[in-house]
Every structure is written in C-alpha cells, then in structure tokens.
Amino acid sequence: MDASENLKTNHPQKYFLKLICRSLYYIGMGDYWYEKTERTKVHKKMYIVYAVIINGYLLLSTLNQLLAHFRTDLTLKEKNDLIQFSLAHPSLCAKFICLFLQKDRLKVLFEKLIEGDSYTFRSLDVEKVSVKKAIRYFVALSTGTYAAVLFSTIDGFLSSKRDGTPFQTEVSLIPTGSQLGPFWSFIRCLHVLHWWCIVTNMLLVDAISFTSLIFLGYKFRLACMYFEQLRVKTKDNCKSKSDKDCMEEYEKGLITGIKLHQDALWCARTVQSSLGIIYGVQIIETTSILVMCMIKLVATRGSFTFLLANFFYIACLLTLNGVYMIAAGDITFEASPLSTEIFHSGWDLLKSRRRFRTLIVLAIACSQKPVYMTAFGVITLSHENFISVLRSSYSFFAVTY
C-alpha cells in the first residue's frame, strides 16, 4: 500500500482536505496545506507566473462583463443575463480574494483541526462519516453547478443558431455582436472557458469552506464521545483499582477532555474569523441572484434548455446556501450535549468528589455557551435561518416584481 492509500485508509480527513488544497494549488489559488512541500526556485517562479496569468484572466473577464453595462445594443435577455452575472461573478472573485488573504491562518487552522487531537483521542469511524458527508455535499453541489453551466452553454448555442448571432454564454463589452472574424471568435471561446473556470474555482473554494465546518462539527462530537468513554473507564477503574488511583486517572482524563473542548472552541473561533466573510458573501449572493433568476423566469419567454439552465442554477444556489447553513447548524447541534456529557463523565462514581467540583463546574459553564457560526457577525448560520433566507428572497421578489 502506497503512502496515498495508507493516508486515505488511516486518516481520511487529512487525505480529503489535502486533496482539496492540492486542487486549489493546481488551479493557481495558492498553497493552503500546512505541511511543507519542497519545491525548487524555478518551480516557485513558474507557479507565480502561472497563477498571475490564470487569476488575471478571471479578473479581466469579470471586469469585461461589468463594463458591458455601457453597451446600448443589448436585448432584454442579454440585459437580464448581464445583471445576473454582474452579481454572481464579482461575488465569486470576492470569495477567492478573501480565501487567499487568509491563507496563512488557514494553514494553522487545518493543522489544528486535523492533527490537534490525533495523538490524544480520535475515532476513525467519526472521521470516515465526516468525510462521506463532505463528499455528498460536494457531489450534490458539483452536479447542480455543472448542469447549470452545461445547459446554459447549450441554450446559448441554440439561441445563436436560431437568431443568427455569434455564439456567446456571457455578455461582455468586448466583443459585441457586430465584431466578427477568427480573432473575435477566439475571444468568445475564452469567455466560454471563463465560465467553466470560475465555477470550478468556486466549487473548490466552497468545498474547503464547508469541509472546515463539517470537520469542526465532528470535532465537538469527538469531545462528547471522549467524556462518554471517560465515564465507562472510570466505572471500570472503580471496580479494579484503589480510590487514589481512580481519582488520579479521572483527573488526568478530565483535564484531557477539557483540552479537547478548548481545542474545538479555538478551531470554531478561527473558522469564524478566517472564513466568516465568505459565509456572508454567499448569503448575499444567494439572496440577490435567486431574485434575479425568478424575475428572469417570469419576464423572459425562453426555450426548454433555458428553463433547464435556470432550474439547475436555482438548484445550485439552494444547494450551496443549504450546505453552508446545515453544516454550520450541525456545529451548534454537536456542541449542545457537551455540558451533559461532562456532568455524566464519572465524577459521581468517586468517593472523594470535592477536589473535582470546581473544575467540573467551570468546564460545564464553558460548554453551556452555544457555539454559533455567523455571517458578518449578524446572521446566524442554522437550519432555521436557511429557510428564512429563502423566504426573504421570495419576499423581495414579490415586492420588486
């Protein structure tokens, strides 16, 4: 068994997160992995040039779309598409920039999230379940995203054949419909490629964000499991060991459990501070673009492929917003029983309980404070607010249209 397969089998969380970080590196987003990789100076310089070209291409294409508002020859469909893309693509670029600016902090976070408790207490089953959950979310999001892009591309091709206009999937300042020839056809191909590239970047950036939330939720579950096992261990020790040995082992176990909880809280604060802006951008993006998609469906009479493209586009937005909200809500859910587990950790089985009373009271008081992930420090990410965001989008659509 090679190193990769061994890592996948024995440390699935590390394998999955490393795979996402490596994919981000390959698409020019930088290195987010905490383990140092030996690279030559030539490789580093070539990668900088490659990253500048790729990201410059994405930014310039997005700027080209924003400048298309100065055009006066746009059809109604093109105007609706332009408003939608003018909201979506700058939001994606904002998420890319926010993630890149937090690169160093994320390396520290990932190391703590993955390696922090591996030598103290870990459960391979819990890790496998968390990775399966992250994979399900990623597959669902990828399916909706690429289906939306695919059907939008097909609809653009059919529209160009039907109307006798140049094929395009994005509305841009350059080229216009009257600019024809091989060079302008090449520029239009770059615009088609831009859409596929930017959604691929979006998938990986969102994947590393919601995977952090998922792994954090299971980190709190791991702490609860530890205190459950501490009670079982203390109960067995009381039957086979002296009172002094039982108290010493329980004290060590209790301190270890408190450290596990404190590590989980540190990861929660770091996830919030480093990725919280991305959550906020996502909620704003979802709310605004959902409204635009509903207006397009009502105001534009399109073909079957147009309806399919918008259906998958809306499904993609709902999935993306749901992934963030549900993963963050699970953190609150997984952390909520921790105070009860600490209280039932086995201190009541010992004869001399007074020496643990202060420590347990402080640990319970600390664990009773709910753990919430928020967007911009205002909107709580939860299962309930997921529905609230959808209602707000529809209410805004009903008022404006």
Side-chain angles (χ1 to χ4, degrees):
M1 183 181 296
D2 59 11
S4 179
E5 288 295 326
N6 183 59
L7 184 65
K8 183 178 180 180
T9 303
N10 298 322
H11 211 324
Q13 283 187 345
K14 184 176 181 179
Y15 174 83
F16 184 72
L17 194 58
K18 185 177 181 179
L19 183 62
I20 297 175
C21 292
R22 185 179 297 174
S23 301
L24 283 168
Y25 180 80
Y26 289 153
I27 63 173
M29 292 289 291
D31 189 5
Y32 294 84
W33 191 238
Y34 56 87
E35 293 178 338
K36 187 176 181 181
T37 304
E38 295 296 333
R39 298 185 177 96
T40 63
K41 292 183 178 180
V42 175
H43 176 95
K44 292 178 181 178
K45 292 180 179 179
M46 290 181 63
Y47 181 79
I48 292 173
V49 174
Y50 165 74
V52 169
I53 292 174
I54 293 296
N55 290 287
Y57 160 66
L58 295 178
L59 291 174
L60 288 175
S61 297
T62 303
L63 180 61
N64 193 15
Q65 290 179 15
L66 295 177
L67 293 176
H69 286 281
F70 292 102
R71 287 178 56 180
T72 58
D73 59 339
L74 298 179
T75 63
L76 177 61
K77 182 179 181 301
E78 288 176 334
K79 289 179 180 179
N80 290 333
D81 290 341
L82 180 59
I83 295 174
Q84 180 177 331
F85 295 146
S86 298
L87 292 171
H89 292 176
S91 299
L92 297 182
C93 292
K95 292 202 295 190
F96 303 160
I97 294 172
C98 290
L99 187 75
F100 181 78
L101 293 177
Q102 297 293 332
K103 182 172 64 173
D104 294 333
R105 294 185 67 185
L106 288 174
K107 289 181 180 180
V108 179
L109 168 66
F110 293 155
E111 184 174 11
K112 190 77 170 178
L113 194 63
I114 299 299
E115 306 282 0
D117 305 327
S118 60
Y119 301 106
T120 304
F121 180 76
R122 62 176 298 218
S123 171
L124 189 59
D125 292 335
V126 169
E127 290 191 19
K128 289 180 178 179
V129 171
S130 65
V131 171
K132 287 181 180 179
K133 186 176 182 179
I135 292 174
R136 286 199 303 269
Y137 285 178
F138 183 76
V139 170
L141 183 58
S142 301
T143 302
T145 301
Y146 283 123
V149 176
L150 176 62
F151 283 108
S152 295
T153 304
I154 295 174
D155 180 62
F157 177 76
L158 294 178
S159 297
S160 68
K161 289 293 184 181
R162 181 177 61 250
D163 302 334
T165 57
F167 170 59
Q168 63 178 11
T169 55
E170 298 178 344
V171 183
S172 58
L173 177 65
I174 300 174
T176 62
S178 59
Q179 292 174 321
L180 305 174
F183 175 75
W184 298 115
S185 298
F186 173 73
I187 298 299
R188 290 187 178 91
C189 290
L190 290 181
H191 287 321
V192 175
L193 181 62
H194 166 258
W195 204 358
W196 290 87
C197 288
I198 201 169
V199 298
T200 301
N201 287 24
M202 178 204 76
L203 285 171
L204 292 174
V205 170
D206 288 321
I208 205 171
S209 300
F210 68 69
T211 297
S212 300
L213 293 174
I214 293 172
F215 288 178
L216 177 60
Y218 281 89
K219 198 173 185 67
F220 281 101
R221 177 184 290 191
L222 200 65
C224 292
M225 289 178 58
Y226 177 83
F227 284 107
E228 288 179 5
Q229 295 187 15
L230 180 60
R231 180 177 180 83
V232 175
K233 181 180 178 181
T234 303
K235 189 175 182 179
D236 293 338
N237 288 340
C238 289
K239 296 178 181 179
S240 59
K241 295 183 180 181
S242 63
D243 293 341
K244 182 179 179 180
D245 291 339
C246 287
M247 287 187 293
E248 288 179 353
E249 288 200 23
Y250 177 79
E251 185 175 19
K252 292 179 181 178
L254 179 61
I255 292 173
T256 300
I258 292 174
K259 289 181 178 178
L260 288 175
H261 181 216
Q262 292 301 314
D263 286 346
L265 290 176
W266 181 91
C267 290
R269 290 191 298 268
T270 307
V271 167
Q272 176 62 50
S273 60
S274 57
L275 299 174
I277 297 178
I278 295 180
Y279 310 151
V281 171
Q282 180 55 49
I283 291 176
I284 293 175
E285 178 186 2
T286 300
T287 305
S288 57
I289 299 177
L290 271 178
V291 174
M292 281 304 307
C293 285
M294 287 187 285
I295 291 176
K296 278 180 62 178
L297 286 174
V298 174
T300 307
R301 299 180 63 182
S303 61
F304 179 69
T305 53
F306 169 81
L307 295 176
L308 278 178
N310 277 273
F311 169 78
F312 280 109
Y313 201 96
I314 293 174
C316 171
L317 291 173
L318 296 179
T319 303
L320 188 54
N321 198 51
V323 162
Y324 277 107
M325 290 288 196
I326 294 173
D330 287 344
I331 295 175
T332 306
F333 175 77
E334 297 290 355
S336 59
L338 191 55
S339 59
T340 304
E341 297 299 339
I342 295 175
F343 181 79
H344 294 292
S345 60
W347 62 274
D348 55 309
L349 302 174
L350 302 172
K351 292 183 178 180
S352 180
R353 307 166 186 172
R354 183 170 297 180
R355 61 185 291 185
F356 309 113
R357 185 178 302 170
T358 303
L359 192 59
I360 290 175
V361 169
L362 291 174
I364 291 175
C366 183
S367 61
Q368 284 179 329
K369 184 178 180 181
V371 181
Y372 294 119
M373 296 291 110
T374 61
F376 298 125
V378 177
I379 304 173
T380 301
L381 304 184
S382 64
H383 306 152
E384 181 180 359
N385 282 346
F386 172 51
I387 305 300
S388 298
V389 169
L390 301 185
R391 287 176 177 172
S392 300
S393 300
Y394 181 76
S395 299
F396 186 68
F397 161 73
V399 171
T400 55
Y401 187 74

